[in-house]
Amino acid sequence: MNAANANTHANTRAKEDGGAPGTASAGRLEQALRLALDEDALERCMRCGFCQSACPTFRVTGLEAASPRGRIALMKAAYDGFMAADSDFVGQMELCLGCRACEPACPAGVPYGRLIEQAREAIAKGRKQPLRARLAGKILMEGVIARHGVLRGAGRVLRLYQRSGLRAAAHRLGVLRALPPHVREMEASLPEASGRGVIREWLRRGLPARWETDDQGRRLLVVPAEGERAARVGMFRGCVMDVLFLSTNVNTIRLLRAAGFEVVIPEGQKCCGALHAHAGRSAFARRLAADNAAVFRAAGVDWVVSNAGGCGAHLKEYDHVLHGTPSADDGAWLSSRVKDVSELLAESGRPLRLANGAPLVATCQDSCHLRNVMRVKRQPRELMQRVPGLVLREMRDADLCCGSAGIYNVLQPEMSAALLDRKMEQVKATGADVVVTANPGCLLQMRWGIRRAGLEGRVKAVHLVDLLAERLE
Amino acid sequence: MLEEPVRRRLMDILGPQGFRDDEQTRVSYSYDATPAYRTKPAGVVFPEATWQVSEIMKVCSEYRIPVVTRGAGSNLCAGTVPGEGELVMVMTRMNRLLEIDCENLTATVQPGLNTKAFHEEVERAGLFYPPDPSSMVICTLGGNIALGSGGLRGLKYGTTKDYVLGLEAVLPNGDVIRTGGKLVKDVAGYDLTRLLVGSGGTLAIITEATLRLVPKPPFRLSMVAVYGDLYGAARSVSSIIAARIIPCTLEFMDQATIRVVEDFARVGLPADAKAILAIEQDGEEEQVRRDLNLISYICRNEGALEVRVAERPEEGEKIMAARRSALAALSRLRPTTILEDATVPRSKIADMVLAIQRIARKYDVQICTFGHAGDGNLHPTALTDARDAEEMQRVERAFEEIFEEAIRLGGTITGEHGVGQVKAPYLEWKAGAAGVELMKRIKQAFDPLGLLNPGKMFAETRKRVVVRR
Ligand SMILES: Cc1cc2nc3c(=O)[nH]c(=O)nc-3n(C[C@H](O)[C@H](O)[C@H](O)COP(=O)(O)OP(=O)(O)OC[C@H]3O[C@@H](n4cnc5c(N)ncnc54)[C@H](O)[C@@H]3O)c2cc1C
Ligand code: SF4
Ligand code: SF4
């Protein structure tokens, strides 16, 4: 046992190689990293490597640096001056999908998700970006994605584009050729957008609902349960869900009602803030979190239900997001109350009555954050198996990220496509007619994958909620 | 940095994807699973075929560049931590399963194949490869062979060394040798196969291996026995073996470990228990049940407070999962976890565990002990903080004394983790001065230029020999 000597040894080397930590010789990014990274979390990694086989980017590249253990080692090296945080370092942090498959695999409980967020935050701060790029990022992140109204407005424009023949014209004229090929491919698999939002849509359909107000005078749409009320649940509508998957949101309410839940949709809810937090905009993400936590708490609900794994997982971490802020208490409350719609439907409420239908072979693609952060994996499968005539055929590596990962597929097209193509091979091998997912990003990616693999017309991708709602009696 | 001609020649051999020496790559191959060791290599190569390994070694011989062979980098002896100016050779692109031969019951593999993936393929063919290091999800067969790795099933089935039938390896000068083969009997010349097993990458680079397989046992079941004193548990181990029963696993946890595991996993282990044995048997169902009945009887006889046999195999999984969670649970307590593997003859387990506990108290460090009781391979695990130099020194002194004690009891400084850099200073304690001298001459014969894994196995500074057996 010579670890003590080795330690001093390693430190000496570290100084020789990289300049003493925190000194003037360390660059902007190194200093930002020193401030942002949680040293105890870095130290907690014992470098056993148990996380590696769970990591999609490691599976594709086989490179240590592209593995969770490697990324943590790079962070630590940049943190303590063993390496300069150069552009390769930044590139490696950006190549991480943030799928967090490494967390359940880690015996030491290293909070990898937190570390990568901190590293990205430091990168966002420490990097000198051209003003224009910074501004564009800010407008997109804070002005569009976070604002439900604006996003719905964008949805309306998108719908107009899709409907008006402009899309067809654009395709004819080859305008889209100006876009990078992967964006062009993705554009083609976008579902029809809507600018209406779930509240207006529900009311437009003349379905049962009433308005309530919370103690701050904020409006809540309340949809009564069918039959005896099992619980009162708040619905988190999501930004992307509400624009691109409006009918899934409507179906979510239908299922919850049928299972005996009273569904409350607070009008004042915002974007969950996941994209902002992952992109290193933590202050803004905290503001969104504080607002959401307060709004749902005031709505007097037993549970907060999400139908998008990505959002649900972020809501689940509000305790951490809001730790040490005046809203800490609300954050902890929300974390303990948030559930995925599949958890509620599988575990509480009345069992759904589902009608017979044509025989169907289905396979399930885990949504990463649903599985790795919310740790929900069994419930969607249980619900699928309750559909009469459905045969569940598991694909290999169902727990491996499909490459969607928020806006990763736009930023890292190569890795994303590599993962997607592997995924489609596994889907094909099951012979399934339907791929079932529980997150909008995954769903879009699956549809794109089906196109890429030439499986259109043979394989469909659906959200679990829509699969169930179609059979609702 | 490597000289330009060297870089160019390596790139000629390997292509642009096969050689890297950017900062990021060098940092990411500067460590393995050993706490607190880290040095950047000069470059990293990723060969995909034996001929490339051979050509690389020719270049390295010409320019006198030392080479560290690396599998998955999961070893705990700093066996793959390079020295400055050295080249790391990563074997994971040579990861094909070349053949499963159901007639001869052998498998032929490339060294970079992951151990767990190999297990799955073999079991799909209805066969069985017993060596099961806990690090199976990450480690490679090449690493297992180079360190002679053991596992939970070592007692009944032996360790990696008992399953290697033949090897292809590249010598430091680039020559390719083949040893052994699909033969059960082979006495032509020295047994070079056995010599390379456990050589820790210091003699040759393994590029292919032929491994022995056995039929897959049809049934397995587990049980636990809880003890109020250590000797009861230790006596049970001896009595079980004396009764001519060889369980496939026979795992041990001491009180400190039990408490931590229970806190973490909540599986209902009694916190006041002094020791627990987790036992698993495999074979024909009837025989397995008969064995476990007899073992239960023996355990009770030796003073077990409680004996629980799983009703169904799945239940047994839970018991073994609790044992396997030991390291996970321990590693959450303090920032740095140092896992050691002092090993003693089976009959000395209780003495060794008590000695470890005494030594831990003496140096005021937290050491929990668990391990493979069946073969005396214990894992005293120190929970500490590598940033605290003073505490680390106490940990080091405690381990030194633990190794001493192990040798005194007729044991060894490492049962399965290997010597590498960490244990090199202690090698003489186990092998003796003449033994180490002979080993050095063997090394000299294989590697006259000292290119393969320098600084491993043989230390520049030896620890004073304080005990004699
Ligand atoms: C949490 C944990 C649990 C563990 N449990 C066990 C256990 O139960 N039993 C056990 O025995 N070990 C265990 N280990 C230690 C380690 O996993 C094993 O020693 C394993 O065999 C190392 O395999 P690897 O592929 O990671 O090799 P590496 O760590 O990459 O290399 C190990 C050694 O082998 C050499 N080497 C690698 N490949 C070759 C090759 N092709 N030719 C020549 N030399 C080569 C290297 O130079 C090095 O000296 C554990 C480690 C961890 C972190
Ligand atoms: S599994 Fe956890 S402790 Fe092990 S290397 Fe990965 S992050 Fe580190
Ligand atoms: S988050 Fe996903 S991609 Fe990133 S290191 Fe973890 S497993 Fe790999």
Side-chain angles (χ1 to χ4, degrees), chain B residues 388-431:
Chain B
D388 182 340
E390 187 272 330
E391 182 174 329
M392 285 294 277
Q393 240 157 48
R394 277 186 281 124
V395 170
E396 188 184 2
R397 290 225 299 282
F399 273 125
E400 222 169 276
E401 207 164 315
I402 288 169
F403 299 152
E404 240 174 73
E405 188 66 22
I407 302 267
R408 205 181 58 79
L409 292 170
T412 180
I413 52 175
T414 169
E416 57 180 17
H417 292 168
V419 175
Q421 283 181 59
V422 172
K423 300 280 173 60
Y426 305 92
L427 181 61
E428 199 174 313
W429 292 12
K430 170 69 180 119

Side-chain angles (χ1 to χ4, degrees), chain A residues 1-11 13-14 16-18 39-40 43-50 52-53 58 61-67 69-71 73-74 76-77 80-84 86 88-89 91-92 106-110 396, chain B residues 20 22-24 26-40 46 70 72-74 82 84 92-93 121 124 134-135 137-138 264 327-329 331-332 335-338 340 385-387 389 392-393 395-396 399 403 422-423 425-426:
Chain A
M1 235 321 304
N2 204 12
N5 293 346
N7 189 35
T8 35
H9 204 51
N11 285 343
R13 293 245 164 101
E16 277 167 19
D17 280 29
E39 190 187 83
D40 286 335
E43 231 14 85
R44 175 172 271 210
C45 171
M46 56 178 174
R47 305 198 293 213
C48 64
F50 278 32
Q52 289 193 329
S53 63
F58 179 71
T61 62
L63 296 173
E64 177 76 26
S67 79
R69 175 172 76 168
R71 293 198 176 95
L74 292 178
K76 185 161 188 270
D80 63 17
F82 189 60
M83 87 179 275
D86 55 8
D88 281 352
F89 172 88
Q92 198 49 261
C106 172
V110 173
R396 248 180 125 159
Chain B
R20 289 167 185 258
D22 54 282
E23 178 86 348
Q24 172 190 190
R26 290 167 58 230
V27 170
S28 62
Y29 293 98
S30 67
Y31 57 83
D32 52 32
T34 320
Y37 282 79
R38 184 175 73 170
T39 309
K40 278 178 253 182
F46 302 85
R70 188 181 194 269
S74 74
E84 244 153 290
T92 50
R93 287 192 191 168
E121 286 297 330
R124 213 165 287 147
S134 322
S135 51
V137 286
I138 169 172
F264 169 66
L327 181 64
S331 65
R332 282 162 202 251
T336 309
T337 309
I338 301 178
E340 276 302 341
D385 187 340
R387 292 166 294 185
M392 285 294 277
Q393 240 157 48
V395 170
E396 188 184 2
F399 273 125
F403 299 152
V422 172
K423 300 280 173 60
Y426 305 92

Side-chain angles (χ1 to χ4, degrees), chain A residues 174-181 184:
Chain A
V175 175
L176 294 171
R177 238 170 276 149
L179 297 171
R184 241 186 296 152

Side-chain angles (χ1 to χ4, degrees), chain A residues 337-358:
Chain A
R337 296 308 165 102
V338 66
K339 280 195 185 289
D340 186 68
V341 59
S342 65
E343 282 180 277
L344 276 180
L345 293 176
E347 287 166 356
S348 39
R350 285 192 300 272
L352 296 170
R353 293 228 313 268
L354 301 173
N356 285 327

Side-chain angles (χ1 to χ4, degrees), chain B residues 150-306:
Chain B
L152 266 58
R153 295 194 276 250
L155 172 61
K156 179 170 179 176
Y157 290 101
T159 63
T160 306
K161 72 175 190 305
D162 301 302
Y163 292 86
V164 184
L165 293 173
L167 293 171
E168 177 194 80
V170 175
L171 298 178
N173 64 4
D175 286 352
V176 181
I177 58 165
R178 281 191 165 270
T179 73
K182 291 182 184 175
L183 303 164
V184 177
K185 297 183 175 174
D186 175 14
V187 291
Y190 294 146
D191 190 348
L192 295 177
T193 311
R194 280 295 191 111
L195 187 54
L196 291 180
V197 174
S199 62
T202 59
L203 299 181
I205 296 164
I206 296 159
T207 48
E208 194 184 294
T210 300
L211 303 169
R212 187 164 71 88
L213 305 176
V214 297
K216 187 174 165 187
F219 186 76
R220 68 177 54 169
L221 202 62
S222 359
M223 57 173 282
V224 273
V226 178
Y227 294 85
D229 84 309
L230 217 54
Y231 281 99
R235 274 195 318 268
S236 301
V237 174
S238 305
S239 305
I240 292 166
I241 311 283
R244 308 269 186 286
I245 309 172
I246 310 284
C248 72
T249 33
L250 214 177
E251 294 294 301
F252 163 88
M253 286 190 273
D254 76 349
Q255 184 167 30
T257 312
I258 295 167
R259 287 194 174 154
V260 177
V261 167
E262 180 51 26
D263 256 3
F264 169 66
R266 303 260 169 232
V267 280
L269 307 176
D272 52 350
K274 287 280 188 300
I276 282 182
L277 294 178
I279 303 165
E280 186 176 60
Q281 180 61 307
D282 64 5
E284 294 296 333
E285 176 163 357
E286 207 181 313
Q287 183 67 43
V288 169
R289 292 201 185 274
R290 216 177 317 135
D291 284 353
L292 288 194
N293 277 340
L294 194 53
I295 294 173
S296 308
Y297 172 78
I298 292 172
C299 292
R300 282 204 195 87
N301 240 1
E302 298 292 0
L305 303 174
E306 191 193 332

